[in-house]
Amino acid sequence: MPHKPPAKKSPDPTTSMVYSFNTAQIDAHIKSLTKPTPLKPMVIRHKCTPVLKRLMDSEFGWIFNVPVDPVELNLPDYFDVVKRPMDLGSIKKRLENQVYRDTNEFTDEVRLTFDNAILYNGPTSDVTEVAKKMKKMFDADWKRVQIELAKDEEAKRNSGEQCALCGKGQLLYEPTSYYCNGAACNGQRIRRNSYYYCDTRNKYHWCHVCFGDLKEGQTLEMADATLRKEELVKKKNDETHDEPWVGCDECPRWVHQICALFNCRKNVGDVTYHCPFCVQQSRLKLKQDEGTVKIRGAKEIGHTRASAFIEKRVRAKVAAEQKRLMEEEGVPPEKIEQTGALFVRQLSNLKDKAHQVKPRVYERYKDSPTNFPMEFPVTSKCICLFEEIEGVDVMLFGMYLYEYGHKCPQPNHRRVYVSYLDSVQYFRPRQYRTLVYHEMLVAYLAYAKARGFHTCHIWACPPLKGDDYIFFCHPEEQKTPKEDRLRNWYITMLQKCQNEGTVCKLTTLYDEHFKSADSKATDVPYFEGDHWNLEAEAILKALEDEKEQRAGDKDGKRKGKKASKDKKAKTGRGLRSDGNVEELNGRDPLVVRMCESLEKMKDAFIVAHLNTREFAKEKWEQRVREMAEEEAAEKAASEGKPALKADPKAGAAGTNKVAPAPISSADQPAAAPGSSGAAAAAATPANGSETKPEVKAQVKVEGEAKLEAVNGTSAAAPQPPGSSQAPAPQASAQSAGSGAAPVASAEAVSSTPAAGATAASGGEAPAAATPAPPSSGAEVGQKPKEAAEGAKPVEGGPPPPGSAAPAAAPAAPGSAPAAPVSGAAAPAAPSSVAAPASGSTAPGSSSSPSPPPGGAEDERYPSYAPPADELEDMDEQLESDFFDTRQQFLNLCQGNHYQFDLLRRAKHTSMMALYHIHNPDIPKFLTTCTTCQQDINSGYRYDCDHCPEFHLCHQCYQTFQLNRRSPHEHRLKKVAVQSESTGQLTEEQRRQRQRSIQLHMQLLAHASICRNPECPSANCEKMKNLLQHGTKCTTKVQGGCNVCRRIWALLQIHARQCRRPMCQVPKCRQLKEQLRSLQLQQAAMDERRRLAMHEQYSQRQSETS
């Protein structure tokens, strides 16, 4: 138990969420925790034996001390009446053997003994009277025992030995998971109780095998540090961590921080803390019912169109079910169980993401007739459900979704993929849990269908033992569903979608893309983390290995097996190891082997048609026409001619005609909604692939992008390169002669278009050609090239957020971008958590996107009904360092011990997650002082380079200095700790800060490649000096250098947005590797899932055979 600090004077009600509770919520919170402490079996025997002995030694105790013998007593119907016989002698034996784990088990069996006698003998028997008297005597004796137990427990809680709320003492967290940074492990988790090696900050880890593969003296270039092998420290993965405590300054009680909903991030300086009991007593004295502070929760997170639509559907579904119970089952209204307040919020919306095609698949099919792309542009979404439970918004359900839009090339065109889905069992009331969780997906698919997506894909694969998808550490009693049960859960949900017309057909990936004899690998949708792309890469590697083995055999390396080689050579065919020759009949061997692999597990890969195949074909043909128009406009712009619209019947402009083949699928009876909606925005698809050498046409879009609206389309004609007539704000693309990368102005990126409109994202992204539809031999003659797009608000629409600030003028060709403030070197951005890029909005923002015209149907929701066939996401970019990927949230939870295994922990975890959402700039992790066990969240700390686990807070360090004692055997290093001041910015301040950061990023990109010693920009020279400071500074970020921290924050932001393979910005490659490490952890889990599914089905098949 840590020593209680002296009383503090400056109260801060934000240190605990209990201060925001009303009186009823405080009472409910205390009752949910103050349960009797479980007694050990030895203590139960000690307390219960005297009571039982008194019963057995009483005057008529002999009647109940032995079991009833129906034969001796001539009671032939005894066991027909008494279903569960019991006697005091049997209870004594069970008590001596310590069978009872709870006092209620003991009392229930004693009362059962007397109830059996009363039941069998009837009300007029003398035995019944004796049984009633003895039962009454037992109840009186046991009441005295309960009072004695309550006094003992109260004494322990008041003494500080146990938590005053939950009654428990020392509680341990789930062990921290570490992931290997070695090349061989590729992000695998380091096993428990095994040895590993880490740096002094315990940030990078190597397992024993990967450490042995490192060469002596090898330099390890990590994202934010340069390490050497001899500097790594050997440790054992057997650490345990206790739940922290906090002492009340009003009474002598000690409570767990989790039980008290205590926010250790707010425990800075002299603050006063009162436990829930003292807060409750204070409220009663002051006759105050409401809370004294408002702490932002899930309700204060701004809505997006998707979250508002889903939340409205979920609440309506619960209300409809309650109405059905009253009308159809006759349940009285007062007996209908009510849910807590439900909030659906979108915590991440990444619109500039691209999923890379794995190398073997790309190398094999990049020159195919369909021109398979190198990457697929995608929008990633994270949507979560919160329910208010006892005053806390608890996170209960989450899903990560991938949306491949209208500009995405085939085979992913207009498809959605349910990447990950996870939940915990705390939803109340329980009877609505499945209903609500189903409706989350049903509502989203309805939203996706209305926007124009035509297919949804789901891989029904439960997590492996020890793995968590989204929520860290699930409840022990919540069983992981088997594969068939999880599949049935999805099928039941999709059948609900069919009943309401959202889904028009259900099939499987095998039946749709592998069953046919003319199936092609390039027709199969390619999703990040899906089974297909993982399995395809493994099969292609196996094919390569077999080819090398056959080549080795033909070269005669194994002379002892010459006869076997001659026999194999006579066949004249290259057979695979098992002798299957189907793949030699003109079929792709990858498709053949994948077909064999998927056939036994095909039901796990669900495909739901949201729209008909005719709709899908029509939309792809529309995209082909748009690409032809883009090509014609580019050609006209380069020649100085007016743009001519391509003939829709020709399918493409000029000689590059395209005749897309139909997408093979059965006709669906449902109509194709949204087919007459607004045309998609004209932009070059993101694709890094190369076309055939004979194709010379290029596609490049410059100037203004099209803006689509629900009621119409506002489009601007493309401006020729270098035109001065493009309105500001626009993307300021610098000429090749300047050497600077084309970057968007802050206003162009941060502007939000009017309701119902979508602006093309500014900045730099590789463009690419889009392949023809599946099963088509036609080619689209386009070559990828970089494009820069600008955006202009729609006339008459509401101004974009932050539009009052002056727009940055486009940079002249060859000039450096201007700095936002004269003489400013870099913005004061935090170092540990990079600020979101310009144009992004923190999920905690209280401002919502501008609703489309027409007003709101409900005062709680903007009118966020999904538009007809609007593929380009109208919600603005939402970036979050905590929820952009599921691995980021898992790492946050693991590093801070945010767990969901108990309701009390789930409430505290949700509270802290919301705190991070509303304060995105605070550090993710804190260090704990080794001496006082307090989190160091302000001022300075003192670290030891030799002992990575030793940290000392400034107060303890001063105490050692005053006592003239050495705090540690090694020399300590003073490190500045980032404060939380940046987390309290207003929304306008945050926007201005984002604009400043974006302009500094333009300056960073220019200064990194500028070689002109007489550059006209004075800010260019200042940025160069900053970069040189970063290479020479010995203090670094770890030592607390403020200049290094500012430039480091900009480098992190740049690395997140950079798409250049050979970027010259310092540390860009290392920072990209750090981001890649998260992807490797994700890929490792995906690979384990794939292998486990193969093993499961192979075992099932062997058992059947």
Side-chain angles (χ1 to χ4, degrees):
M1 178 68 62
H3 178 68
K4 183 177 178 181
K8 301 174 182 178
K9 300 179 180 179
S10 303
D12 184 359
T14 61
T15 53
S16 173
M17 197 168 185
V18 174
Y19 290 108
S20 66
F21 290 173
N22 57 39
T23 304
Q25 290 172 336
I26 295 177
D27 186 59
H29 178 69
I30 294 176
K31 287 182 179 179
S32 68
L33 295 169
T34 53
K35 298 178 181 178
T37 305
L39 301 176
K40 297 181 179 179
M42 187 177 295
V43 177
I44 295 176
R45 183 181 67 177
H46 176 71
K47 295 293 183 181
C48 297
T49 297
V51 178
L52 182 64
K53 188 175 185 302
R54 186 166 182 267
L55 290 175
M56 298 181 70
D57 294 343
S58 63
E59 181 181 2
F60 300 101
W62 59 272
I63 301 177
F64 308 98
N65 289 345
V66 295
V68 174
D69 188 347
V71 177
E72 182 179 352
L73 299 177
N74 193 22
L75 305 173
D77 61 340
Y78 182 79
F79 292 118
D80 296 333
V81 178
V82 178
K83 301 300 181 183
R84 188 187 165 200
M86 186 55 62
D87 63 279
L88 300 181
S90 299
I91 295 175
K92 181 181 179 181
K93 291 180 181 179
R94 292 165 65 86
L95 203 58
E96 291 173 350
N97 294 332
Q98 300 184 11
V99 175
Y100 298 115
R101 301 296 174 184
D102 186 81
T103 55
N104 291 333
E105 296 178 5
F106 167 76
T107 57
D108 290 345
E109 293 195 347
V110 171
R111 293 189 179 99
L112 178 64
T113 301
F114 302 128
D115 290 341
N116 287 343
I118 296 171
L119 175 65
Y120 185 79
N121 292 281
T124 58
S125 173
D126 294 338
V127 177
T128 298
E129 292 297 325
V130 172
K132 288 181 178 180
K133 290 180 180 180
M134 293 191 67
K135 184 178 180 181
K136 187 176 181 180
M137 180 176 67
F138 169 75
D139 289 339
D141 291 345
W142 187 248
K143 188 175 182 179
R144 287 191 289 269
V145 173
Q146 285 181 310
I147 295 175
E148 183 181 347
L149 291 172
K151 289 182 178 179
D152 293 343
E153 185 171 350
E154 186 68 20
K156 290 181 180 179
R157 295 189 180 191
N158 292 335
S159 66
E161 296 180 4
Q162 292 181 336
C163 174
L165 287 169
C166 69
K168 297 180 177 63
Q170 181 187 27
L171 296 176
L172 298 178
Y173 282 121
E174 186 75 10
T176 304
S177 297
Y178 297 112
Y179 296 88
C180 181
N181 292 98
C185 284
N186 202 23
Q188 292 280 356
R189 187 172 59 238
I190 297 176
R191 290 182 298 175
R192 186 70 176 160
N193 295 320
S194 63
Y195 287 97
Y196 68 97
Y197 297 82
C198 65
D199 63 322
T200 56
R201 295 179 297 160
N202 200 22
K203 185 174 182 179
Y204 301 103
H205 312 88
W206 286 262
C207 68
H208 184 73
V209 176
C210 291
F211 178 80
D213 294 339
L214 298 177
K215 298 179 181 179
E216 294 297 331
Q218 180 178 348
T219 301
L220 305 171
E221 287 290 341
M222 309 309 295
D224 56 351
T226 300
L227 308 175
R228 298 176 66 86
K229 180 179 180 179
E230 53 269 21
E231 297 175 353
L232 302 181
V233 182
K234 184 178 181 180
K235 299 177 68 176
K236 190 175 183 180
N237 190 14
D238 60 351
E239 300 171 340
T240 57
H241 300 274
D242 300 342
E243 280 194 15
W245 298 73
V246 59
C248 180
D249 293 314
E250 186 73 13
C251 70
R253 296 185 182 94
W254 280 90
V255 292
H256 293 122
Q257 291 186 10
I258 289 179
C259 296
L261 295 175
F262 183 80
N263 185 354
C264 63
R265 301 296 184 102
K266 304 296 292 185
N267 189 23
V268 181
D270 294 334
V271 296
T272 301
Y273 169 72
H274 291 173
C275 68
F277 296 103
C278 293
V279 174
Q280 189 180 42
Q281 293 174 4
S282 175
R283 295 278 183 86
L284 292 175
K285 290 180 181 179
L286 299 174
K287 296 182 180 180
Q288 184 179 7
D289 181 63
E290 296 300 323
T292 57
V293 66
K294 176 63 177 177
I295 296 180
R296 291 179 293 178
K299 183 179 181 180
E300 282 69 38
I301 302 176
H303 259 309
T304 63
R305 288 166 174 80
S307 65
F309 180 84
I310 296 174
E311 180 181 301
K312 194 172 183 180
R313 285 274 306 249
V314 168
R315 291 188 175 187
K317 192 70 174 180
V318 173
E321 176 64 15
Q322 293 172 342
K323 183 178 180 181
R324 186 193 67 81
L325 290 175
M326 289 186 291
E327 295 179 353
E328 298 183 9
E329 300 186 13
V331 180
E334 62 273 9
K335 292 187 177 181
I336 295 291
E337 294 186 84
Q338 300 295 325
T339 65
L342 300 178
F343 305 104
V344 177
R345 292 296 185 270
Q346 185 171 338
L347 304 181
S348 175
N349 191 47
L350 297 182
K351 304 169 66 173
D352 56 356
K353 201 170 182 180
H355 286 164
Q356 303 293 325
V357 177
K358 294 187 179 296
R360 287 187 176 88
V361 172
Y362 177 68
E363 287 299 323
R364 186 179 182 90
Y365 298 108
K366 64 180 180 180
D367 296 327
S368 64
T370 55
N371 191 19
F372 201 75
M374 179 186 291
E375 63 182 16
F376 293 96
V378 63
T379 296
S380 172
K381 295 180 182 292
C382 173
I383 300 177
C384 293
L385 169 70
F386 297 82
E387 182 186 18
E388 183 181 331
I389 300 177
E390 295 161 358
V392 183
D393 296 336
V394 184
M395 187 184 298
L396 301 176
F397 180 94
M399 54 185 178
Y400 279 85
L401 309 158
Y402 292 150
E403 296 179 350
Y404 300 85
H406 182 64
K407 299 175 185 176
C408 182
Q410 292 285 16
N412 287 12
H413 183 252
R414 288 182 176 249
R415 295 176 186 267
V416 295
Y417 179 62
V418 180
S419 178
Y420 281 95
L421 185 147
D422 201 359
S423 66
V424 287
Q425 63 177 14
Y426 304 124
F427 190 90
R428 297 180 179 178
R430 185 174 181 178
Q431 67 188 80
Y432 298 144
R433 186 172 67 194
T434 301
L435 176 84
V436 170
Y437 292 175
H438 269 171
E439 188 62 23
M440 287 286 294
L441 269 173
V442 172
Y444 169 74
L445 292 182
Y447 185 83
K449 177 186 177 76
R451 284 181 53 199
F453 292 98
H454 59 69
T455 308
C456 172
H457 295 258
I458 299 173
W459 177 13
C461 179
L464 302 178
K465 184 178 180 181
D467 283 342
D468 294 300
Y469 279 171
I470 299 176
F471 301 115
F472 175 54
C473 196
H474 286 67
E476 185 178 354
E477 61 273 14
Q478 181 176 340
K479 296 181 179 179
T480 302
K482 299 295 183 182
E483 188 266 335
D484 54 347
R485 184 176 179 182
L486 179 63
R487 184 175 65 250
N488 291 335
W489 189 92
Y490 279 115
I491 293 298
T492 303
M493 179 272 299
L494 291 171
Q495 287 173 347
K496 295 179 180 179
C497 294
Q498 279 186 307
N499 294 337
E500 68 176 36
T502 301
V503 171
C504 54
K505 181 183 178 181
L506 287 178
T507 182
T508 65
L509 187 71
Y510 172 83
D511 292 334
E512 184 153 294
H513 294 287
F514 290 97
K515 192 174 182 180
S516 175
D518 58 349
S519 299
K520 297 178 182 178
T522 54
D523 294 348
V524 184
Y526 195 94
F527 305 127
E528 179 78 15
D530 194 29
H531 182 276
W532 151 244
N533 59 18
L534 299 171
E535 185 73 5
E537 202 73 3
I539 292 176
L540 290 177
K541 185 179 184 303
L543 290 172
E544 292 175 2
D545 294 341
E546 291 174 14
K547 184 177 180 180
E548 292 178 2
Q549 183 179 0
R550 289 194 295 268
D553 292 343
K554 290 180 181 179
D555 291 341
K557 291 184 178 181
R558 298 182 181 181
K559 297 181 180 180
K561 299 182 179 180
K562 184 176 180 180
S564 175
K565 290 190 298 179
D566 293 342
K567 182 178 180 181
K568 184 176 181 180
K570 290 178 183 179
T571 62
R573 298 176 297 186
L575 299 179
R576 56 178 291 187
S577 56
D578 59 2
N580 191 334
V581 296
E582 273 189 29
E583 56 194 36
L584 303 177
N585 298 330
R587 296 190 67 189
D588 188 342
L590 172 60
V591 175
V592 173
R593 297 197 184 186
M594 194 69 194
C595 184
E596 296 172 358
S597 173
L598 280 182
E599 187 174 10
K600 58 187 177 183
M601 59 180 78
K602 64 178 184 179
D603 292 337
F605 305 97
I606 306 170
V607 178
H609 292 177
L610 305 180
N611 280 300
T612 63
R613 299 305 90 181
E614 287 78 9
F615 176 87
K617 175 185 174 183
E618 175 191 346
K619 292 305 174 183
W620 176 244
E621 291 175 347
Q622 173 188 336
R623 179 60 188 149
V624 171
R625 291 193 298 269
E626 291 171 358
M627 290 189 294
E629 293 175 8
E630 293 165 10
E631 183 180 359
E634 168 62 20
K635 184 177 179 181
S638 62
E639 296 176 357
K641 300 177 181 180
L644 298 176
K645 205 164 187 179
D647 184 3
K649 296 182 180 180
T655 58
N656 297 325
K657 296 184 179 181
V658 177
I663 299 177
S664 56
S665 178
D667 296 341
Q668 302 301 329
S675 60
S676 61
T684 307
N687 183 350
S689 61
E690 297 181 359
T691 56
K692 290 192 173 183
E694 64 268 21
V695 180
K696 300 297 182 182
Q698 296 180 349
V699 176
K700 184 177 181 182
V701 178
E702 296 184 1
E704 298 179 11
K706 292 183 180 179
L707 293 177
E708 297 177 288
V710 178
N711 299 323
T713 302
S714 176
Q719 299 291 333
S723 172
S724 60
Q725 313 220 345
Q730 72 174 29
S732 59
Q734 298 172 347
S735 65
S738 67
V743 284
S745 68
E747 284 72 27
V749 178
S750 63
S751 295
T752 303
T758 304
S761 61
E764 148 184 64
T770 305
S775 306
S776 173
E779 298 178 10
V780 179
Q782 296 174 343
K783 182 178 179 180
K785 191 172 183 179
E786 291 182 353
E789 299 177 337
K792 180 177 70 174
V794 177
E795 295 182 3
S803 59
S815 65
V821 180
S822 177
S831 61
S832 59
V833 180
S838 178
S840 64
T841 300
S845 170
S846 60
S847 61
S848 301
S850 302
E857 299 177 7
D858 192 316
E859 62 181 4
R860 294 175 300 178
Y861 306 103
S863 182
Y864 285 160
D869 192 32
E870 178 56 77
L871 260 293
E872 299 307 318
D873 196 349
M874 293 189 299
D875 291 323
E876 59 187 11
Q877 178 97 346
L878 290 179
E879 291 186 13
S880 170
D881 281 335
F882 318 115
F883 291 96
D884 281 348
T885 66
R886 64 164 201 90
Q887 196 63 50
Q888 285 179 313
F889 182 58
L890 279 176
N891 290 350
L892 175 73
C893 292
Q894 291 171 353
N896 291 289
H897 303 293
Y898 297 159
Q899 300 180 186
F900 288 86
D901 54 338
L902 300 170
L903 178 59
R904 53 187 284 275
R905 286 179 173 173
K907 291 163 68 175
H908 183 267
T909 296
S910 302
M911 178 194 76
M912 294 306 300
L914 289 167
Y915 177 73
H916 282 286
I917 291 172
H918 290 295
N919 300 273
D921 300 327
I922 62 172
K924 292 182 182 179
F925 308 106
L926 295 178
T927 53
T928 303
C929 179
T930 307
T931 302
C932 65
Q933 297 299 315
Q934 300 296 319
D935 289 324
I936 308 173
N937 50 16
S938 64
Y940 294 91
R941 73 168 188 267
Y942 298 83
D943 296 345
C944 176
D945 290 335
H946 302 280
C947 306
E949 295 182 358
F950 183 87
H951 307 285
L952 204 64
C953 67
H954 187 64
Q955 184 177 359
C956 291
Y957 181 81
Q958 287 183 328
T959 302
F960 279 107
Q961 294 294 318
L962 291 174
N963 297 331
R964 297 184 178 181
R965 294 168 49 201
S966 176
H968 192 56
E969 56 182 332
H970 301 126
R971 185 182 180 129
L972 299 180
K973 180 174 62 177
K974 186 177 181 180
V975 180
V977 179
Q978 181 186 344
S979 65
E980 301 183 8
S981 58
T982 56
Q984 307 299 326
L985 299 177
T986 64
E987 190 60 33
E988 181 59 28
Q989 290 173 335
R990 189 180 297 278
R991 289 198 188 100
Q992 293 176 358
R993 179 168 171 263
Q994 298 306 331
R995 297 190 202 104
S996 176
I997 289 175
Q998 188 67 16
L999 292 175
H1000 276 98
M1001 290 179 64
Q1002 298 178 36
L1003 182 61
L1004 172 66
H1006 167 82
S1008 300
I1009 55 180
C1010 178
R1011 300 295 180 264
N1012 184 4
E1014 299 180 358
C1015 183
S1017 172
N1019 294 296
C1020 175
E1021 184 65 24
K1022 292 178 181 179
M1023 181 61 73
K1024 289 178 181 178
N1025 293 336
L1026 276 176
L1027 296 176
Q1028 291 177 0
H1029 169 86
T1031 60
K1032 298 177 181 179
C1033 180
T1034 57
T1035 307
K1036 303 291 185 183
V1037 176
Q1038 297 91 335
C1041 178
N1042 292 327
V1043 178
C1044 288
R1045 177 179 293 117
R1046 290 195 294 268
I1047 193 64
W1048 187 251
L1050 287 179
L1051 292 175
Q1052 287 180 311
I1053 300 172
H1054 168 82
R1056 288 211 308 263
Q1057 298 179 346
C1058 182
R1059 295 291 183 267
R1060 291 191 162 204
M1062 302 298 293
C1063 182
Q1064 298 186 40
V1065 174
K1067 292 290 183 179
C1068 181
R1069 182 179 61 84
Q1070 292 92 327
L1071 286 168
K1072 286 179 181 177
E1073 286 296 320
Q1074 186 181 31
L1075 297 174
R1076 184 173 174 269
S1077 65
L1078 292 174
Q1079 299 175 356
L1080 291 178
Q1081 294 178 24
Q1082 173 67 51
M1085 171 180 281
D1086 294 335
E1087 182 66 13
R1088 290 197 300 271
R1089 290 200 305 166
R1090 183 186 69 85
L1091 295 176
M1093 177 165 281
H1094 272 289
E1095 182 180 356
Q1096 175 186 352
Y1097 278 91
S1098 299
Q1099 182 179 0
R1100 187 180 303 176
Q1101 189 174 9
S1102 61
E1103 291 175 355
T1104 305
S1105 58

